[in-house]
Amino acid sequence: MSFEPAVVPPGLARLRRRLATYHDFLDELVRDIEQSTVDGEPLGRRWDVEGDPRAMKLAQLWAYVAEGVAAYTELAAGEAYLPTAQDWTDLRRLAGLVGYRPQQRVAAQGWVMVDTDRGAAPLVPAGTRVQAPGTPDRPAQVFEVAEETQLYADRAGLTATPVPVPAAPTGPTLRFLQDPGFRVGDRVLFVEELAPTGPAAPPPWSADWSTWWIWLIWWWYLYQAAMSAGATPLAVARVRKRVADLGTVVVTFDRDLGPLLSDPSKVYAAYRVVTAAGSARRQTAAVRIPATGAPSATNDKLQLAAFYTGPANLESAAVVLDTQLDELSPGQRVAVVDWGLGRGATIETTNLPACDVAEPTMHSRLDWEVAPGSTVPASRLQFGSQLAALARATITGRPVRVYVVGPRIPAQHYDLPTAVTGSPARLRLYPAPGAAHPVQRITLRNPAGTWDVLACTPAPASAQELPPPGGGPERPAGSSSTSSGSPCRCPPTGRRPAPTWSGSGTAAPR
């Protein structure tokens, strides 16, 4: 009986070199017996082995033995090679032959996401068992929490986003980093804030003729400064939609804001309009209509200015309105707006739009004569100093518009980047975590679909960019909010998480 050795290809995970199977051994044994020569002739002519039950039983037993020996020989040969060894002791023996010493076995670690009830802050004891569901590539894994871990209620729903960056709006939508207080249907006044100008003191006087020219130029400059308003009115828009998005508020208006707020070097502000009124007017002339003929411009036209008493409707520091401002409360500010004749380098200063936001020092109610003997209830606002918008109106005679406004809101649009960049990376957490339990680690899913573990520290005070709304200091360039989110710096710490967890968890498999 003879068999050819099997050809073993390389790269096998399990060695396949069995000499033959049970049926191969049985057929080969019967064939050898029947072909053996006895007294000069084949034994098969005298003895039918396959037809003899006793002989066939003996042959089958021998085939079983031969197959077992072949199988164990194959297994023993497989354990002699590292790629095909199946027994851990054989692997250690083979590795030891080449001087390899394996490290101590380490349990795998992973993160566990925990959902808690609103306001709940449970303590997760060490040893709590959790199970990772199975996948097509691996079976289900059972883990245990490595250390006792305290969960905090303020971590529920915590969201990390890239730090918003200032950008010019491209449509009717503005993204505010904090709630501006605008509601659907509100009117909002947009202004461009200007730097204050004007000389502090007059030049010294002397009898020299050149000093007279210096004084003349100084008075002209002072006049120009008095005519320069603190802001330029841009538009009044109405809120169409308001959506809260990841700690920011996205407000959609009824007009395109891109052309109005397009210059990143300028400072824009927005004010919610509570109510509005115009400067009061009165009838200035009356024309007598004769029974026959046309009225005469000299004899039939009567000027009515001499018939009025009381204050003028416009002064440089006061204005009489065409209605009573019942919504104006003490301490509330108003925006006095002269919409002018347009914008451009060729337009005189007195004809440019002007806006001053100030708090009236006095609000009095009076009966305003719109015609001799005919009065309407009105309001008179007195201010502590001259307003450029009123000063221009006293010269041009144009009416002004007075808006009772809410707090000052920086009219800066922000975009949310699609990726976290920088080293160290800066993230914005929403809602802002409490100071008593600072966030120490954050996990982020990268574009490859795997998770990165980041060590997190609060950003310095200089990175807390926006002041609270309403009369605060001007916004510095390139700032982001702290009232609805908390920036933090996050250097990567590697893929292996620390042995403790909060919000998410670290666990070890059993």
Side-chain angles (χ1 to χ4, degrees):
M1 180 183 300
S2 62
F3 291 96
E4 294 293 333
V7 178
V8 181
L12 294 178
R14 184 183 293 272
L15 190 63
R16 302 294 183 185
R17 52 159 291 175
R18 189 171 302 186
L19 187 62
T21 63
Y22 163 79
H23 295 286
D24 295 333
F25 283 117
L26 180 61
D27 294 341
E28 185 70 14
L29 176 63
V30 172
R31 183 168 55 253
D32 286 348
I33 293 175
E34 292 182 346
Q35 291 180 358
S36 60
T37 303
V38 177
D39 297 334
E41 62 179 354
L43 183 60
R45 292 181 180 180
R46 302 180 183 180
W47 185 23
D48 183 8
V49 178
E50 292 183 358
D52 188 344
R54 294 182 177 85
M56 199 61 189
K57 179 66 68 176
L58 183 62
Q60 289 175 350
L61 290 175
W62 186 93
Y64 278 124
V65 173
E67 184 186 41
V69 172
Y72 279 105
T73 303
E74 179 187 53
L75 291 176
E79 296 300 311
Y81 303 95
L82 281 175
T84 58
Q86 306 296 316
D87 195 324
W88 171 249
T89 57
D90 291 326
L91 287 174
R92 291 182 61 88
R93 178 179 56 81
L94 293 174
L97 293 176
V98 295
Y100 175 77
R101 295 294 181 268
Q103 297 180 354
Q104 190 71 18
R105 287 185 290 178
V106 179
Q109 293 179 330
W111 289 96
V112 177
M113 185 176 66
V114 179
D115 291 328
T116 61
D117 295 334
R118 182 181 298 273
L123 177 66
V124 181
T128 301
R129 301 182 65 186
V130 294
Q131 179 172 325
T135 66
D137 300 329
R138 58 169 176 78
Q141 286 273 9
V142 178
F143 289 77
E144 286 187 355
V145 175
E147 295 183 6
E148 187 177 85
T149 305
Q150 176 68 55
L151 303 182
Y152 300 104
D154 58 1
R155 304 286 173 83
L158 191 65
T159 302
T161 66
V163 175
V165 295
T170 58
T173 299
L174 283 184
R175 181 186 295 274
F176 295 91
L177 294 185
Q178 50 191 344
D179 188 357
F182 302 154
R183 299 295 182 266
V184 175
D186 285 349
R187 291 183 300 163
V188 178
L189 171 66
F190 290 94
V191 301
E192 174 194 338
E193 296 180 339
L194 306 175
T197 59
W205 174 257
S206 69
D208 188 3
W209 66 271
S210 61
T211 304
W212 184 85
W213 282 105
I214 295 175
W215 267 74
L216 184 61
I217 295 173
W218 181 82
W219 279 109
W220 176 84
Y221 190 74
L222 184 64
Y223 167 77
Q224 292 293 329
M227 295 296 105
S228 299
T232 298
L234 300 177
V236 176
R238 190 176 294 275
V239 177
R240 288 285 183 85
K241 185 179 179 182
R242 167 197 164 97
V243 178
D245 181 34
L246 295 177
T248 65
V249 178
V250 180
V251 180
T252 302
F253 296 89
D254 61 354
R255 63 175 299 167
D256 187 5
L257 301 179
L260 302 178
L261 313 177
S262 59
D263 192 344
S265 64
K266 297 179 179 180
V267 178
Y268 303 102
Y271 297 89
R272 184 178 69 88
V273 176
V274 179
T275 187
S279 56
R281 303 184 185 185
R282 55 181 26 147
Q283 185 179 355
T284 58
V287 178
R288 183 180 65 86
I289 306 297
T292 59
S296 171
T298 57
N299 299 328
D300 296 326
K301 186 175 182 180
L302 178 62
Q303 298 295 329
L304 303 179
F307 293 90
Y308 296 113
T309 60
N313 64 332
L314 288 172
E315 301 176 23
S316 61
V319 60
V320 178
L321 304 177
D322 55 9
T323 186
Q324 285 189 351
L325 289 181
D326 296 330
E327 294 86 350
L328 181 60
S329 304
Q332 200 166 10
R333 296 190 297 174
V334 299
V336 182
V337 177
D338 176 10
W339 290 104
L341 299 181
R343 300 181 179 89
T346 60
I347 299 178
E348 296 182 2
T349 301
T350 55
N351 291 328
L352 291 173
C355 175
D356 290 290
V357 180
E359 179 184 339
T361 57
M362 180 181 298
H363 176 205
S364 57
R365 292 169 174 81
L366 73 160
D367 292 328
W368 176 258
E369 285 187 289
V370 295
S374 178
T375 61
V376 295
S379 288
R380 183 177 186 273
L381 303 182
Q382 180 72 42
F383 299 93
S385 60
Q386 173 179 300
L387 300 183
L390 295 178
R392 295 183 188 184
T394 59
I395 298 174
T396 62
R398 283 192 304 269
V400 298
R401 193 73 174 165
V402 176
Y403 300 91
V404 180
V405 295
R408 172 188 177 273
I409 302 297
Q412 175 64 61
H413 174 69
Y414 287 86
D415 284 337
L416 285 177
T418 57
V420 179
T421 58
S423 180
R426 296 182 69 240
L427 296 175
R428 181 171 179 266
L429 302 184
Y430 173 79
H437 309 121
V439 177
Q440 297 178 349
R441 286 181 300 275
I442 294 178
T443 57
L444 293 180
R445 192 167 190 174
N446 57 41
T450 58
W451 293 85
D452 291 324
V453 182
L454 306 178
C456 182
T457 59
S462 59
Q464 317 298 330
E465 289 101 350
L466 273 187
E474 291 186 357
R475 171 188 56 80
S479 62
S480 62
S481 170
T482 59
S483 61
S484 57
S486 177
C488 62
R489 297 179 182 272
C490 301
T493 60
R495 294 295 176 84
R496 177 174 293 181
T500 58
W501 51 272
S502 58
S504 298
T506 299
R510 295 194 60 177

